[in-house]
Amino acid sequence: MSTLSLPKALSPLVMHIEPLLAAAADYQLGEQVTLMPSSLDWVEVSTPSSIKRVGFEQACSTALVDYEIQDHWDANDVTLSSLKAQVLKCPDLVICGVPVKVGYLDIWYHDGEVRGCFSVECGDQTQQRAMLLVALALNYPLEDALVLARAYAQSTQMGIWPTERDAFPDIVCANFAKLSDIGWQRSMSAS
C-alpha cells in the first residue's frame, strides 16, 4: 500500500486527487494509495519501493525534497537556456509550464541530461499538480508522471484519467519539429 501525505497548504488538491485515486483503483493502475494530511512543508509520497518528498516552489538548496517543482512563471523573467542549466546543476529541480514562443515546456533531469515535453496550452496548474502526485504515488517514474500530469491539466474532464491523444504533450527530442521554435538548442548533458 502507498500513502500520499499532503500539507495543509495543498489541501485544495484533494478534490482532484480523490477521484483520480478512485479511478486508479477501479482500473487497478497500481498499489492502493491512502491520502493523509501532513504537518510537513512538502508532500511525502510513500510507495512499497521508495519514499519521495515533493516540494512546490521551494529553494533548490533544500536537501529535504527529492523533487522541487517550480510551476509559477513570468514569461519575461527566465530564458530556456538558463532553466536548462539550473536543472543540470540541480537534478531534483522539475520545471513545469514554462512559457516559450509557441507553447509551454516541462523540463527535468534524467540519466545525465535535461529532458522535456511540450504543449501548446498550459492547462490548469491545480489539476497538473494533482495528477503528478497521484502518478508518483502509483509508483510511475517521474517522466511518465509529468506527461500524465500535463495531459490531465489540459483535459476537460476532471477526475478522469486522460485518454485523448491531443491532450498529451510532445516529447522534446532530436526529431521534434518545433525544436528551434521553442528555443531548445542542442542537448545539454552533465559532463
Side-chain angles (χ1 to χ4, degrees), residues 60 66-68 86-94 108-110 142:
C60 184
D66 297 292
Y67 300 124
E68 173 201 342
Q86 284 180 23
V87 169
L88 274 176
K89 182 180 175 186
C90 186
D92 63 338
L93 178 60
V94 178
W108 63 94
Y109 180 90
H110 178 79
L142 176 64

Side-chain angles (χ1 to χ4, degrees), residues 32-48:
Q32 181 179 349
V33 177
T34 302
L35 184 60
M36 300 173 53
S38 171
S39 60
L40 302 172
D41 291 334
W42 59 85
V43 177
E44 191 166 275
V45 178
S46 176
T47 66

Side-chain angles (χ1 to χ4, degrees), residues 45-123:
V45 178
S46 176
T47 66
S49 61
S50 69
I51 295 176
K52 297 288 186 202
R53 295 169 305 269
V54 180
F56 289 94
E57 307 303 326
Q58 295 179 349
C60 184
S61 61
T62 305
L64 299 174
V65 297
D66 297 292
Y67 300 124
E68 173 201 342
I69 312 297
Q70 290 187 2
D71 56 7
H72 291 289
W73 301 104
D74 179 354
N76 299 322
D77 284 350
V78 294
T79 65
L80 183 55
S81 60
S82 69
L83 291 175
K84 288 171 67 176
Q86 284 180 23
V87 169
L88 274 176
K89 182 180 175 186
C90 186
D92 63 338
L93 178 60
V94 178
I95 296 175
C96 297
V98 67
V100 293
K101 293 178 191 174
V102 292
Y104 298 87
L105 280 172
D106 297 338
I107 61 176
W108 63 94
Y109 180 90
H110 178 79
D111 205 20
E113 65 182 15
V114 177
R115 300 211 178 159
C117 62
F118 169 81
S119 296
V120 174
E121 295 183 28
C122 192

Side-chain angles (χ1 to χ4, degrees), residues 156-175:
T156 58
Q157 298 180 331
M158 288 182 16
I160 298 173
W161 282 59
T163 57
E164 295 298 320
R165 169 61 190 113
D166 290 346
F168 284 83
D170 294 314
I171 301 304
V172 177
C173 58
N175 63 351

